[in-house]
Amino acid sequence: MFVTLTNYTDYGLRALMLLAIEPDRVQSTSALATRLDVSRHHLAKILMDLVAGGYLLSSRGPTGGVRLAKPPGQIRIGDVVRYLERDQAMVECFRADGGQCNLLPACRLRQTLNRAKDAFIETLNGKSLADMSPVPANR
C-alpha cells in the first residue's frame, strides 16, 4: 500500500524528532528551519499548530522558541500524524463536504479505506517519538 503524507506532516515529524534529542531545551524556529532546510515562515506555522495540539510549548523573547510539551516516550507517532493530517482527505468522499462522488451511499470502498487508514495510524502508534529520535532521548 502506498501512503503519502503531506510535506507539512513530514516537517512536523522531523521537527519533533530534532526536539526529542534534547527534550528540555528550548530551540528557535530559525535554528530548526536551518537544520531541516525549510523556510522559517513555513516551519513557524507547523510549530504553532503543534503547540495548539499540545505537542510543543512555546516561549517568546530573545531566548524563546519551542520545546516538547511532554517526554518523547509519551508522544505517539500515529497521534501526531492523525493530528497534522486532520484536514487532508485520503479520497474525495472523505472530505468534510462529502466531495463529488456519485457512488455514495452504495460504495463500499470508503469503509475499506477507512479501516486501512485506522490500521496505518494504529501501526504508527506502536512507536513513540522516543523510538524515532535520531539519538536516544530521555524517556
Side-chain angles (χ1 to χ4, degrees), residues 93-105:
C93 63
F94 281 20
R95 290 185 359 200
D97 67 1
Q100 298 294 322
C101 181
N102 58 4
L103 298 177
L104 290 177

Side-chain angles (χ1 to χ4, degrees), residues 29-135:
T29 301
S30 295
L32 289 169
T34 298
R35 291 207 50 205
L36 294 172
D37 193 27
V38 63
S39 88
R40 184 194 163 295
H41 177 71
H42 185 57
L43 187 61
K45 181 179 174 185
I46 297 167
L47 296 176
M48 287 301 98
D49 195 9
L50 289 167
V51 168
Y55 296 101
L56 298 179
L57 298 173
S58 68
S59 56
R60 295 183 182 265
T63 59
V66 293
R67 68 178 179 86
L68 296 180
K70 47 190 158 186
Q74 293 179 15
I75 298 174
R76 297 185 325 164
I77 299 300
D79 291 341
V80 174
V81 169
R82 182 186 303 118
Y83 176 74
L84 292 175
E85 293 281 320
R86 67 193 179 279
D87 295 330
Q88 301 300 315
M90 181 187 295
V91 291
E92 187 171 347
C93 63
F94 281 20
R95 290 185 359 200
D97 67 1
Q100 298 294 322
C101 181
N102 58 4
L103 298 177
L104 290 177
C107 179
R108 292 182 291 186
L109 180 61
R110 180 181 174 145
Q111 181 180 17
T112 301
L113 289 174
N114 233 347
R115 284 196 309 268
K117 181 184 71 160
D118 291 344
F120 175 69
I121 295 296
E122 182 179 328
T123 298
L124 292 176
N125 271 338
K127 298 293 181 180
S128 72
L129 184 57
D131 298 320
M132 300 296 112
S133 179
V135 297

